[in-house]
Amino acid sequence: MKNKNYYAILMAGGVGSRFWPVSTQDFPKQFHDMLGTGDTLIQKTFYRLAKLIPEENIFILTNERYNDLVFEQLPGVTKRQVVLEPAMRNTAPCILYASLKIQKENEDAVMIVAPSDHWIEDEHAFSNNVKTAFDFCESNDALMTLGITPTFPNTGYGYIEFDKSSTLKIKPVNQFREKPDYETAKSFIDQGNFLWNAGIFMWSVKSVISAFRNNQPELFKLFESGYKVYNTEFEDDFVKDNYGKAENISVDYALMEKSDNVYVIPATFDWNDLGTWGSLYDKLDKDGHNNAILNAKSLAENAEGNIVRAPKDKLVVIDGLNDYIIVDHDNTLLIYPKNKEQDIKQIQQRIKNKYGDL
C-alpha cells in the first residue's frame, strides 16, 4: 500500500529547444520517445514516480498548450492532476501554485518536484533516495534536493556545495554555485564536496509554503489570495486573471539560495538531464564505430561518433562524417557538428528570420 501522504509535481512545461528539430514549441521533447524505448520521457518519469507515489497524487505541471498531449500520453490521469500554466513564469510560481493546491487537499503531504525529461537508470535506487528524503522531511523543517556525484568537470550544470565535515547520508548545503568555467569545475571536483544540481527537490508542503511566505512574500500573497477557490470550479478563472502577474523566477533563486534549512542527498543512481543531442548520444547503444542510431537503418563508412535519428526503418548512408548530429524529422534535415550543439537553440531564430514560421 503506497503512502497517501506522498505527492509529486512532475514538471512538463519546457520546450527543449536544443533538441530541435524533433523538439518544438508545439511538441516538446518530454512528449517524444527520445531514447527509443517505446515510452516517451514524460511516460517514463510518471511510471518511475508511481513506483513510490500513488498515481492519483502525481500532478503534471505544464503549459496550457500541452494539455491535450498530457491526456493522450497519460490517459489514466484526471483533470484534477493536470495543473496548467497560462503563461511561462519559470519554476517558482508554478511550484507555489501546485503546493497550495496540494496543501488544501492534504496538509500532511510530502512531495517531490521532478523534471519530466531526465534519464535515470536505477529506478529502485531513485525510489530509495526519495523515500529517505521523505522520511526526513516528515519530521524536519527541510528543503531537500538530490545531488549527482560529478564524473567530470562539467561546465553546463550548476553545483551544490555541501558541508564537508558531515558524515551523514543527508548533508547540510553550504551554497549553490552557478555554472562554472572549466578550471573552477575542476577545483570543485578536487575539493570533493560538490555535486551537480539535478533540479530534483523534496519537502513537506508545510515547509515549502513557509519558505515561500518568508522568502517571496509578494509571490506568496498573489497565489495565497486564490486559496479559497483552489480545487473548485472557480480556480481556472482566478489563475487566468492572476498568473501573468507573477514574477518570472526559478525555485533555485526564490527559495533554495535564500534558505538556511537546505539539505542534499548524494544520489546513488546514474543520471543524465538529456539536455542536448550530445547528452542523449552518451546514453544510447553504439555500433562498432561509436555511432548511435535511433529508429533508422544505417550504413556508416569512415564515420565515427555520430548520432543518427530518422523515421523508423529509413535508410541513412553516411561516409566521412565524424562526431555529427544527423536528424531527419518532418520537413527538416539537420546535419550539425556535435561540438556546436549549444548553438542549435539560436539556429531556430535565424531560420525564422530567413524563412518565417515553417
Side-chain angles (χ1 to χ4, degrees), residues 284-293 298-300 303-306 318:
L284 294 173
D285 291 335
K286 318 289 192 302
D287 66 15
H289 295 281
N290 282 324
N291 296 304
I293 313 296
S298 72
L299 178 63
E304 294 192 5
N306 301 293
I318 52 177

Side-chain angles (χ1 to χ4, degrees), residues 14 22 26 59-60 108 113-114 139 151 242 261-262 269 308 322 337 346:
V22 171
D26 291 330
F59 287 73
I60 295 92
D108 296 320
V113 177
S139 53
T151 52
N242 290 278
N261 59 334
V262 181
F269 51 86
V308 178
N322 297 317
Q346 283 75 46

Side-chain angles (χ1 to χ4, degrees), residues 5 7 9 95-112 134 137-138 140-143 202-213 220 227 255:
N5 292 334
Y7 283 74
I9 298 175
I95 288 171
L96 172 57
Y97 168 36
S99 298
L100 287 165
K101 282 173 60 66
I102 290 170
Q103 182 193 47
K104 191 171 182 184
E105 182 174 296
N106 183 349
E107 291 187 345
D108 296 320
V110 289
M111 54 202 269
I112 177 172
F134 279 176
C137 291
E138 282 181 323
N140 295 275
D141 178 20
L143 306 178
M202 293 81 48
W203 41 55
S204 70
V205 71
K206 292 174 185 170
S207 290
V208 72
I209 288 174
S210 174
F212 272 113
R213 185 187 292 112
F220 175 78
Y227 196 75
L255 297 189

Side-chain angles (χ1 to χ4, degrees), residues 153-317:
N154 194 314
T155 59
Y157 299 146
Y159 285 71
I160 303 165
E161 180 186 351
F162 63 82
D163 182 351
K164 204 169 189 176
S165 66
S166 174
T167 57
L168 302 175
K169 182 184 292 186
I170 295 170
K171 301 181 182 300
V173 170
N174 289 344
Q175 61 179 325
F176 289 81
R177 303 290 288 267
E178 293 297 311
K179 295 174 183 177
D181 59 31
Y182 183 76
E183 289 304 318
T184 305
K186 277 178 64 179
S187 74
F188 287 171
I189 291 177
D190 291 342
Q191 290 174 64
N193 62 323
F194 283 80
L195 303 167
W196 288 337
N197 184 356
I200 302 171
F201 307 105
M202 293 81 48
W203 41 55
S204 70
V205 71
K206 292 174 185 170
S207 290
V208 72
I209 288 174
S210 174
F212 272 113
R213 185 187 292 112
N214 294 334
N215 294 301
Q216 300 295 330
E218 289 299 314
L219 194 65
F220 175 78
K221 184 179 176 183
L222 174 66
F223 283 96
E224 202 269 340
S225 67
Y227 196 75
K228 286 183 180 178
V229 301
Y230 290 157
N231 306 337
T232 75
E233 61 184 305
F234 304 106
E235 177 180 338
D236 289 349
D237 289 337
F238 171 82
V239 172
K240 282 175 182 169
D241 290 342
N242 290 278
Y243 199 94
K245 301 173 187 174
E247 182 182 357
N248 191 328
I249 185 171
S250 72
V251 75
D252 298 75
Y253 284 120
L255 297 189
M256 305 304 280
E257 296 183 13
K258 296 179 182 296
S259 303
D260 56 10
N261 59 334
V262 181
Y263 298 84
V264 65
I265 296 177
T268 56
F269 51 86
D270 196 6
W271 168 91
N272 190 302
D273 75 337
L274 293 184
T276 64
W277 286 110
S279 62
L280 176 62
Y281 168 85
D282 290 341
K283 292 304 169 192
L284 294 173
D285 291 335
K286 318 289 192 302
D287 66 15
H289 295 281
N290 282 324
N291 296 304
I293 313 296
L294 266 173
N295 301 332
K297 296 176 179 176
S298 72
L299 178 63
E301 297 183 348
N302 305 310
E304 294 192 5
N306 301 293
I307 177 169
V308 178
R309 190 186 197 274
K312 186 172 173 57
D313 293 332
K314 186 163 190 173
L315 177 63
V316 179
V317 180

